[in-house]
Amino acid sequence: MRCLFVNQEVSEVPLRGVERISLSHYRCYESFSLSLDTRPVVMTGPNGAGKTNLLEALSFLIPGRGFRRARFSDIRQQGSVEPWAISVSLKDEGEGIRIGTGLDPDNPESESRITRINGEKVKSQSALAEWVSIVWLTPQMDRLFLEGSQGRRRFLDRLVYGFDAAHAQRLNRYEKALRERSLLLRQGCADPYWLEGVEEALVNEGIAITEARLKVVGQLTAVLTTYEGPFPQADLFLRGDLEKQLDEKSMTDVEKAFRRHLATSREQDRLSGRLSYGPHRSDLHVIFTEKGHEAGLCSTGEQKALLLSIVMASAQLLAVRTDAIPLLLMDEVVAHLDEIRRSALFDAILKLKIQAWLTGTDPSLFKEMQGDAQFLSLEGARLVSIT
Ligand SMILES: Nc1ncnc2c1ncn2[C@@H]1O[C@H](COP(=O)(O)OP(=O)(O)OP(=O)(O)O)[C@@H](O)[C@H]1O
Ligand SMILES: [Mg+2]
């Protein structure tokens, strides 16, 4: 039997992870600081203790709006006028990394955040993907297979950031070009070269986005179809306009077809206000191998198990990367697992040597991790104990 989401290369990877986190005016935390080592972290406490808020703060170590996709004005501690801020020190093979992110004190009403890496302000938060890779599983993701394709694209793109730091920038450029084309068509752009330039960006970025996604889907599928253990096997497919073309045609023909589509659909897209072709319409399909069903048709429990399989397969692939520090955030995952899967999850986390952050209200569910993980107890946004 194959190991549980683990491959041999992991033993050569150094211990890495968060060593210190400080929060200021961040949700329930007015001022909070915590020092740790690189072992996994088990965070327990009653409802409302601040467990999810702390995990959410860590989710800002990669590009995006955090795992709740909250408005930044909701993150600011209620009743406070101060901007929220997160500061994290991470251990890596070298001298370590310091990341600071939060609202700009000079522009506290803004919905964009500023980020500093080792004290240097970076131009775009896309730079974070070069330093940290995160995979998370939260209760909000329970409906991932039932809701629209956007959530699944976002899920996949976040996984891709972990393997390909340029992906976040690629997506930004693609989305900017989409908005620009739409505006030019609406305004009746008189300069054909301008429009062609924007469409050329859509072709180049669109194909690069699709290729990066396909590569990660292929890597995950290779892990998930050969895995043997208590989590389900799965097959992943990415379906969309470009995926189909890339499968059948040469790169030059795919580019030509995309260019032709853009040139001939201008009038239709001006009327509809959107482009009906490209990677912003792709969808990630997940098949539960044992039954041959699409994930959306599986039972609630099967869907949760499938998600856990994908997340752990991603963690396995990220764990062997040496350039970005991998973290695994799991909010309220353990309480829903039976004993066999719980043990298998703990075993995989320890073998992967990844700093996983696990939350729950009941510390007894984590007793198998005693000695191998750090146990934090929180109450009322305060640290009660750390062992
Ligand atoms: N902007 C904010 N300002 C102040 N408090 C906030 C803000 N946003 C959320 N909170 C509060 O933070 C508290 C902790 O929330 P959190 O989601 O972290 O709890 P939790 O420990 O995960 O609880 P549960 O076990 O129920 O999931 C809640 O009481 C919530 O109302
Ligand atoms: Mg919570």
Side-chain angles (χ1 to χ4, degrees):
M1 181 164 142
R2 279 173 66 91
C3 261
L4 301 174
F5 294 117
V6 176
N7 61 29
Q8 289 68 26
E9 294 164 76
V10 173
S11 57
E12 288 146 32
V13 169
L15 288 171
R16 300 169 291 175
V18 173
E19 282 194 314
R20 186 171 178 81
I21 174 163
S22 304
L23 305 176
S24 165
H25 304 285
Y26 186 93
R27 293 198 185 266
C28 58
Y29 295 102
E30 182 175 349
S31 171
F32 180 86
S33 215
L34 180 66
S35 294
L36 300 147
D37 57 55
T38 54
R39 283 175 302 163
V41 180
V42 172
M43 229 189 317
T44 58
N47 296 136
K51 305 177 296 290
T52 304
N53 291 349
L54 193 51
L55 279 197
E56 183 197 36
L58 291 171
S59 71
F60 280 103
L61 294 179
I62 60 168
R65 293 191 11 229
F67 67 38
R68 283 190 177 113
R69 297 190 53 73
R71 280 186 315 197
F72 288 172
S73 48
D74 290 340
I75 293 176
R76 179 205 299 254
Q77 192 189 22
Q78 268 183 13
S80 165
V81 289
E82 298 296 323
W84 57 267
I86 302 163
S87 166
V88 181
S89 302
L90 297 116
K91 181 178 162 65
D92 62 0
E93 285 171 273
E95 292 168 6
I97 303 155
R98 282 175 296 119
I99 296 177
T101 190
L103 283 187
D104 183 351
D106 298 327
N107 190 8
E109 299 309 320
S110 155
E111 276 296 318
S112 61
R113 53 178 167 129
I114 53 168
T115 300
R116 285 179 203 281
I117 299 176
N118 290 333
E120 297 277 334
K121 192 169 163 180
V122 294
K123 267 204 208 111
S124 151
Q125 18 147 343
S126 308
L128 288 169
E130 289 168 31
W131 301 89
V132 180
S133 59
I134 301 185
V135 52
W136 63 63
L137 189 52
T138 68
Q140 287 77 15
M141 288 160 67
D142 282 356
R143 296 189 54 78
L144 191 80
F145 300 126
L146 301 175
E147 289 174 346
S149 60
Q150 190 184 32
R152 288 183 291 278
R153 277 195 301 278
R154 209 178 276 138
F155 172 69
L156 174 61
D157 285 328
R158 259 194 333 264
L159 296 180
V160 180
Y161 296 168
F163 301 98
D164 183 347
H167 193 64
Q169 263 173 335
R170 229 175 256 147
L171 285 168
N172 285 344
R173 287 194 295 263
Y174 182 80
E175 275 155 25
K176 185 166 168 264
L178 266 187
R179 287 192 299 273
E180 204 172 341
R181 179 175 183 268
S182 193
L183 187 70
L184 289 174
L185 291 177
R186 221 170 36 238
Q187 292 173 339
C189 173
D191 180 354
Y193 294 112
W194 192 358
L195 194 53
E196 271 170 30
V198 172
E199 290 181 347
E200 200 52 29
L202 285 173
V203 172
N204 294 336
E205 304 299 345
I207 291 176
I209 288 167
T210 309
E211 286 195 302
R213 285 174 178 168
L214 283 170
K215 189 170 170 199
V216 171
V217 166
Q219 287 174 332
L220 286 173
T221 304
V223 175
L224 286 163
T225 49
T226 54
Y227 167 76
E228 286 172 34
F231 297 103
Q233 287 191 349
D235 272 295
L236 270 57
F237 301 93
L238 191 63
R239 297 215 176 100
D241 310 306
L242 288 172
E243 290 77 356
K244 194 162 176 289
Q245 299 265 337
L246 284 166
D247 204 33
E248 294 167 356
K249 295 182 180 158
S250 73
M251 182 59 87
T252 322
D253 287 344
V254 177
E255 285 172 0
K256 265 193 211 154
F258 197 176
R259 239 176 250 131
R260 201 170 40 243
H261 184 97
L262 288 164
T264 54
S265 70
R266 287 176 187 165
E267 181 54 18
Q268 183 193 326
D269 297 345
R270 184 184 69 79
L271 292 171
S272 68
R274 73 176 87 91
L275 169 63
S276 59
Y277 187 98
H280 58 288
R281 291 163 23 99
S282 302
D283 197 3
L284 176 69
H285 292 258
V286 175
I287 310 288
F288 185 42
T289 313
E290 192 190 315
K291 300 204 172 154
H293 289 166
E294 279 262 1
L297 295 176
C298 292
S299 74
T300 316
E302 286 168 343
Q303 290 185 26
K304 269 180 189 278
L306 273 173
L307 259 180
L308 195 52
S309 281
I310 300 173
V311 163
M312 288 310 290
S314 312
Q316 169 178 322
L317 294 170
L318 291 177
V320 293
R321 275 196 57 180
T322 49
D323 42 356
I325 299 172
L327 298 175
L328 175 60
L329 309 180
M330 292 193 150
D331 196 20
E332 285 181 48
V333 170
V334 168
H336 304 285
L337 299 177
D338 59 36
E339 219 175 310
I340 292 175
R341 284 188 172 158
R342 205 160 57 223
S343 279
L345 175 69
F346 294 157
D347 187 52
I349 287 172
L350 294 176
K351 287 194 176 132
L352 285 173
K353 299 210 295 182
I354 190 169
Q355 194 185 45
W357 290 66
L358 305 158
T359 70
T361 47
D362 180 3
S364 70
L365 292 180
F366 302 90
K367 59 178 186 296
E368 273 178 69
M369 295 277 273
Q370 213 95 43
D372 293 315
Q374 318 165 72
F375 281 67
L376 310 185
S377 165
L378 295 174
E379 196 160 347
R382 280 179 206 291
L383 182 66
V384 178
S385 64
I386 177 163
T387 50

